[in-house]
Amino acid sequence: MADRHLAPDTPELRARWGAFEFSPEWKAKADKAIAKYPEGRQKSAVMALLDFAQRQVGEETETQGWLPLPVMEYIARYLDMPVIRVVEVASFYFMYNLVPVGKFHVQVCGTTPCMLRGSDDIIAACKKRGMKMGHTTDDGMWTLTEVECMGNCATAPMVQINDGNYEDLTVERLDAVLDALAKGDTPKEGTQEPGRHTSEPSGGPSTLKEMVDANHDYRSEW
Amino acid sequence: MPKVTVDGQEIEVPAGATVLQACELAGKEIPRFCYHERLSIAGNCRMCLVEVSPGPPKPQASCALPAGEGQVIRTDSEMVKKAREGVMEFLLINHPLDCPICDQGGECDLQDQAVAYGRGGSRYHEHKRAVTEKNMGPLIKTTMTRCIHCTRCVRFSEEVAGVDEIGALYRGESMQITTYLEQAAKHEMSANVIDLCPVGALTSAPYAFEARPWELKKTLSIDVSDAIGANIRIDSRGREVLRALPRVNDDVNEEWISDKARFQVDGLTRRRLDKVFVRKNGKLAESSWEEAFKKIAAAKPGNSIAAVAGDMVDCETMFAAKKLLGALGSTLLEGRQTGLTYDVSNLAAVNFNTTLAGIETADAILVVGSHVRWEAPLLNTRLRKAAKAGAKIFLIGPEWETTYPATFLGSDVGLLHKLPKEAADALKGAERPAIVVGGAALGKGALHPALALAEKYKLVKDGWNGFNSLHFSAARMGGLMLGFAQAGGMADLIAAKPKVALFLGADEADFSQFGDSLKVYIGHHGDKGAHAADIILPGAAYTEKDGTFVNTEGRVQYAEKAVFAPGDAREDWTILRALADALGVDVGFDTFDQLQAAMIAEVPALGEEGLADYGALPAADKGAKAEGEIAYPIKDFYLTNPIARASTVMQQCSAELLGQGELAEAAE
């Protein structure tokens, strides 16, 4: 599990992010998220707002984005809630970055199913490309972290890079994806197994075979 | 009223009770860490597992499971025993084995329960987790490696204190309890988390490495740092008071005390008056009791003698002074040192009639001229409870940071005569309306205008009296019951130009006004009173004598003597008794018991523990006008009395938390 910590509260951090405010587009989304909850329960929108803030920071820094302390304080003011409660949420969920990340945040799943299907090789491949666990490369392109189960066990191993999942990986397929990203292309998301559509059983269906082409009534067979 | 069976014993439990409460009612002990009666249920320590059927065939956390009709609960089965052992083993995985150097040792829930419910040894051989220590201010010492994540401290600061500043960051094994950016906990009740912490993660910083609990003598006492009269336990060793802890009393302090009540006790050993002093050639010089008494007798006071009671004196001291003055033919008694002159002809008008517990049930509250957080922190938690239950709270006075939603109407006390519509409507529509008149408002003549409001909004009805005066001094109600009040207040004493003026621990009076009087200070700390005095007779502090105190709601409570006064200091009543001999009068008592009996004979209410009955509210004087800007008397919460001012802990709090005075830099 990645070692998480808050970015230190320095004068530089305050100078850079002290004046953070939602841009009009993100503000509209934030207000829409708040409106989903009944009056007096605005703080329920904290997770959505943290996500929006992280994305706006990402746009400003051309990375996946992260959550500097002054931004969390801004969210706390925006929702009129204690800042410690905002930091609790942000530090609990791994999807909120507490320190700056690179342009591509490579999150390798290392939980049991992925590990059994070779996530150690995937991590080794990332490291071979110059990435270091929990760090950003010097060119600011790649940040490598290991995460817990992302729910893609049927297509393990997988990595999540920013908002996209890349599944059924081998070292070669991962290299292809990363090379494409580095070039500025948009590689295909989802499974990288040729012929596989999503997470259906590889090698064709093993159950409910009659349903493949048309609807089939199984009830007479029960 | 569901019926449940606990270990074969069938009992009926109140509707809404949890399985844990049902087990307690059946007399079964359920080990727990996170569950606390006065906090919300968290259910995260898993120590309270029991076996419940019907239900899944596994142990259940009893603190979070409602008791239901027909449940069969077992707390003594093999499954429960194994579950407790398992939970305890997991809790101890990351808990350091540093009990010999831990201040919680001997009064630690984890230690006790590990012995009672744990396995004999550990099977864990991997590395233990370590967590950096967190700064939580000058009062709370942290050793976060010991933390078991029960979150009692988080829930206390959020729910009871109302100042959301402690939180749990990160998750799972990496979870850490901290304040935001490790800022000091900044509220008046912060140190209660020390009592709540079931392990040694949060301990008392001033008491660090001072003593073990089994070395201490425990004495039941009453706190004198404000007029709430919180029930405390004084822990002492030898002649020194080492700490003050709250006792449970649901009517007064529940089980909390303010940081000042808890930590001012180190002031009891500093700046003490332990010798007799007499002013010679303008300078105070050490002297003897005989010389001091001779000098007072030489002043030949006759009936020209006055007594001013301080904020922390007990009823017995005041009564002894009253008897002495009475024997000399004087009635110049006053306790309101700062010159307040409100009408005390009917004590019901200056009492907290709703009672501290009762104010929780009020649904509209108007606070006039009181910085409640500083004048009575424990009342503030009650107001917060009322607000959480839906009460509307309005305040007249300069703004301060409330811990609940409240509306400040303005700082002019004249608003009482033309209450803004929202407040007037709230009081009118309320079923249980209440007014709290603070000392700052009493000083501006707000008593009768407030009484007029009480009549207008029908604050007194069946089983409800919503009219309250909130005092700040622990001696106030007792003093008023004993007649320590002149119609014109201190001005009457000054106008009488007494030959001798006795100051009984009075440090807030304007001593320059008593220019020609022989000023005799009977008290325990070298503070303002001692500086101005001509003769200093060293007395005993509240921990050093038995005494009766009456809190702001008229509750009579007794404090016991924990330690002896230092040096030549004597219990105050003995000084006054000896002074009577020196002045050649008879006060009619020779022992403390005789004194107490005489006091109870004169004011029977003081002989009965509990609420004194002051009768009905007086009719309001319709012509009375209140006017002027309210200014709160307390400028610094931590330094309101001579004991607190002598306490280095309180001085540190004042400097670090309120930013007053110079902050002592650490030597690096």
Side-chain angles (χ1 to χ4, degrees):
Chain A
M1 200 184 285
D3 175 33
R4 277 163 73 80
H5 61 89
L6 292 170
D9 186 28
T10 59
E12 296 78 50
L13 186 82
R14 295 272 160 196
R16 173 65 184 86
W17 296 109
F20 177 88
E21 268 185 9
F22 276 133
S23 65
E25 300 84 65
W26 287 116
K27 191 174 187 317
K29 287 192 176 182
D31 291 339
K32 199 175 161 200
I34 292 170
K36 287 180 188 168
Y37 300 98
E39 187 64 30
R41 304 275 177 184
Q42 286 78 9
K43 58 181 89 162
S44 301
V46 65
M47 291 182 65
L49 262 66
L50 282 170
D51 181 47
F52 298 154
Q54 175 162 306
R55 286 173 192 277
Q56 187 182 329
V57 170
E59 285 169 8
E60 288 178 27
T61 56
E62 290 195 21
T63 62
Q64 198 204 8
W66 66 294
L67 290 168
L69 286 171
V71 172
M72 291 196 243
E73 285 168 12
Y74 169 75
I75 302 276
R77 286 196 303 275
Y78 202 91
L79 294 171
D80 191 21
M81 65 192 284
V83 62
I84 186 77
R85 298 280 163 265
V86 178
V87 183
E88 276 183 338
V89 172
S91 67
F92 186 89
Y93 293 103
F94 279 53
M95 297 77 197
Y96 299 119
N97 299 319
L98 300 181
V99 291
V101 292
K103 188 167 184 202
F104 297 108
H105 187 191
V106 182
Q107 302 162 79
V108 186
C109 173
T111 309
T112 318
C114 281
M115 195 200 75
L116 292 172
R117 297 274 296 154
S119 67
D120 288 357
D121 299 339
I122 302 293
I123 291 171
C126 290
K127 286 185 174 165
K128 210 172 148 195
R129 293 176 69 97
M131 297 182 216
K132 202 174 146 202
M133 194 57 83
H135 289 269
T136 306
T137 52
D138 291 337
D139 58 3
M141 283 291 279
W142 310 100
T143 302
L144 178 65
T145 50
E146 184 181 338
V147 294
E148 301 304 331
C149 186
M150 305 287 268
N152 288 178
C153 310
T155 50
M158 65 83 66
V159 300
Q160 187 181 63
I161 301 176
N162 293 359
D163 288 333
N165 284 7
Y166 303 91
E167 303 150 24
D168 275 326
L169 292 176
T170 59
V171 171
E172 296 73 38
R173 288 174 190 169
L174 175 72
D175 277 335
V177 169
L178 296 181
D179 286 340
L181 286 170
K183 265 193 285 178
D185 293 346
T186 315
K188 169 184 170 283
E189 286 182 11
T191 175
Q192 306 295 312
E193 173 101 17
R196 201 171 182 187
H197 183 231
T198 57
S199 59
E200 75 276 14
S202 60
S206 55
T207 54
L208 305 181
K209 289 176 187 160
E210 289 84 351
M211 292 285 266
V212 171
D213 300 317
N215 198 12
H216 176 79
D217 191 349
Y218 282 98
R219 276 176 291 186
S220 57
E221 298 161 36
W222 289 353
Chain B
M1 299 279 282
K3 272 201 186 72
V4 298
T5 312
V6 182
D7 293 349
Q9 177 191 348
E10 193 169 293
I11 56 159
E12 204 169 322
V13 298
T18 62
V19 170
L20 188 146
Q21 285 164 332
C23 294
E24 296 221 304
L25 282 173
K28 303 289 168 191
E29 186 184 73
I30 303 291
R32 86 286 301 266
F33 295 109
C34 71
Y35 175 80
H36 191 276
E37 291 84 351
R38 290 174 213 280
L39 303 174
S40 64
I41 292 169
N44 51 13
C45 78
R46 316 310 289 180
M47 194 62 209
C48 63
L49 295 174
V50 295
E51 199 179 332
V52 180
S53 64
K58 59 169 192 168
Q60 307 246 42
S62 60
C63 70
L65 186 70
E69 180 65 40
Q71 266 174 351
V72 179
I73 303 160
R74 294 228 65 105
T75 69
D76 55 359
S77 65
E78 188 58 24
M79 182 203 273
V80 174
K81 182 169 177 289
K82 277 183 76 177
R84 286 172 179 170
E85 283 175 0
V87 169
M88 183 54 79
E89 198 175 359
F90 274 118
L91 283 175
L92 292 176
I93 276 181
N94 280 318
H95 191 82
L97 276 176
D98 63 350
C99 303
I101 56 153
C102 175
D103 260 322
Q104 194 84 353
E107 50 186 4
C108 174
D109 288 355
L110 189 65
Q111 211 176 28
D112 295 348
Q113 293 182 28
V115 171
Y117 303 103
R119 286 166 50 90
S122 171
R123 294 174 290 182
Y124 184 73
H125 298 292
E126 284 74 32
H127 288 293
K128 285 185 176 236
R129 173 205 61 168
V131 182
T132 51
E133 283 166 26
K134 305 284 184 286
N135 173 33
M136 285 199 190
L139 301 176
I140 306 166
K141 185 185 164 207
T142 66
T143 313
M144 298 320 282
T145 304
R146 297 181 188 143
C147 177
I148 57 165
H149 305 155
C150 70
T151 69
R152 276 188 190 179
C153 52
V154 178
R155 284 174 283 148
F156 173 83
S157 63
E158 180 180 346
E159 292 161 19
V160 179
V163 182
D164 255 342
E165 50 186 17
I166 304 182
L169 301 194
Y170 315 113
R171 65 190 290 177
E173 190 193 29
S174 320
M175 183 163 143
Q176 299 187 18
I177 299 287
T178 182
T179 50
Y180 181 60
L181 297 177
E182 296 196 34
Q183 288 156 347
K186 276 187 189 150
H187 57 89
E188 301 69 34
M189 306 276 290
S190 65
N192 286 298
V193 297
I194 296 169
D195 294 338
L196 287 172
C197 185
V199 298
L202 307 178
T203 51
S204 164
Y207 174 73
F209 308 131
E210 287 284 339
R212 285 300 190 188
W214 56 84
E215 307 175 295
L216 302 173
K217 190 182 96 179
K218 286 125 183 130
T219 314
L220 308 185
S221 186
I222 300 297
D223 172 51
V224 296
S225 67
D226 57 35
I228 296 297
N231 292 201
I232 55 172
R233 188 184 94 194
I234 299 288
D235 280 6
S236 57
R237 185 179 56 193
R239 301 189 67 150
E240 198 183 348
V241 172
L242 288 176
R243 60 175 179 176
L245 294 177
R247 278 189 284 144
V248 177
N249 186 338
D250 282 332
D251 292 330
V252 183
N253 56 318
E254 298 173 276
E255 59 180 280
W256 322 121
I257 51 172
S258 73
D259 290 355
K260 186 164 51 181
R262 186 186 301 265
F263 288 120
Q264 70 173 2
V265 291
D266 77 314
L268 289 167
T269 53
R270 294 189 171 82
R271 289 195 207 160
R272 282 305 297 264
L273 300 171
D274 55 359
K275 291 208 168 54
V276 179
F277 286 87
V278 172
R279 196 174 288 278
K280 290 171 185 158
N281 307 324
K283 272 194 166 166
L284 285 167
E286 267 181 44
S287 182
S288 65
W289 290 100
E290 293 77 25
E291 193 191 351
F293 284 148
K294 240 180 240 163
K295 213 165 165 199
I296 298 169
K300 292 201 177 59
N303 65 2
S304 179
I305 182 167
V308 180
D311 289 346
M312 301 191 292
V313 292
D314 52 312
C315 292
E316 282 79 358
T317 302
M318 287 189 279
F319 182 73
K322 182 184 181 181
K323 275 294 177 204
L324 174 65
L325 263 65
L328 290 161
S330 164
T331 56
L332 289 173
L333 305 163
E334 180 56 65
R336 299 166 294 176
Q337 319 173 41
T338 51
L340 296 179
T341 57
Y342 48 84
D343 172 21
V344 294
S345 52
N346 181 331
L347 288 187
V350 291
N351 185 37
F352 203 93
N353 297 299
T354 311
T355 73
L356 294 169
I359 196 85
E360 279 178 21
T361 60
D363 49 5
I365 304 170
L366 173 67
V367 179
V368 192
S370 178
H371 186 323
V372 185
R373 245 180 105 168
W374 280 8
E375 290 174 26
L378 289 160
L379 176 64
N380 196 52
T381 64
R382 302 278 192 175
L383 291 181
R384 178 171 160 76
K385 275 191 182 177
K388 279 172 96 174
K392 293 195 185 77
I393 299 182
F394 301 92
L395 299 103
I396 298 180
E399 292 195 16
W400 46 277
E401 208 180 315
T402 58
T403 55
Y404 35 82
T407 315
F408 280 91
L409 301 170
S411 60
D412 190 339
V413 73
L415 283 167
L416 281 178
H417 299 292
K418 43 178 194 329
L419 213 53
K421 192 172 175 309
E422 47 172 341
D425 287 349
L427 285 175
K428 208 178 288 169
E431 242 168 72
R432 294 156 89 84
I435 292 183
V436 178
V437 187
L442 291 173
K444 299 281 181 202
L447 186 59
H448 276 281
L451 279 168
L453 282 185
E455 287 172 16
K456 188 171 166 193
Y457 295 111
K458 301 193 178 53
L459 261 57
V460 183
K461 43 183 104 175
D462 262 355
W464 178 255
N465 185 340
F467 187 81
N468 303 300
S469 292
L470 176 62
H471 299 295
F472 170 66
S473 121
R476 181 71 69 245
M477 282 312 282
L480 295 180
M481 285 166 83
L482 289 165
F484 271 69
Q486 303 292 317
M490 287 294 279
D492 282 12
L493 266 60
I494 293 159
K497 291 197 183 350
K499 281 189 195 157
V500 173
L502 301 177
F503 294 94
L504 310 170
D507 289 284
E508 325 295 333
D510 183 359
F511 299 95
S512 62
Q513 304 274 354
F514 291 87
D516 296 329
S517 310
L518 179 70
K519 296 188 276 293
V520 180
Y521 182 79
I522 304 175
H524 41 80
H525 271 80
D527 207 86
K528 294 170 203 160
H531 286 300
D534 297 312
I535 293 172
I536 295 173
L537 304 175
Y542 70 109
T543 50
E544 294 151 8
K545 57 189 172 190
D546 290 336
T548 307
F549 292 96
V550 187
N551 79 356
T552 191
E553 53 175 354
R555 185 179 299 278
V556 178
Q557 305 186 104
Y558 302 114
E560 288 172 16
K561 174 175 177 167
V563 293
F564 286 95
D568 285 346
R570 296 286 179 272
E571 290 180 31
D572 305 43
W573 76 271
T574 60
I575 299 173
L576 293 159
R577 174 68 187 80
L579 192 53
D581 279 351
L583 294 170
V585 291
D586 179 25
V587 288
F589 54 83
D590 293 321
T591 65
F592 187 74
D593 290 342
Q594 287 175 5
L595 158 65
Q596 226 171 21
M599 179 178 82
I600 292 164
E602 203 170 303
V603 187
L606 290 176
E608 222 173 296
E609 231 171 339
L611 291 174
D613 184 9
Y614 300 116
L617 283 183
D621 173 4
K622 293 285 192 299
K625 278 269 169 287
E627 53 189 5
E629 292 283 310
I630 287 172
Y632 301 125
I634 300 181
K635 301 284 172 264
D636 186 334
F637 169 73
Y638 296 101
L639 302 175
T640 53
N641 66 53
I643 300 177
R645 284 191 286 264
S647 152
T648 50
V649 179
M650 289 291 103
Q651 287 166 7
Q652 200 187 349
C653 284
S654 166
E656 285 185 25
L657 304 180
L658 301 177
Q660 306 207 351
E662 285 292 300
L663 183 61
E665 290 285 332
E668 293 196 35

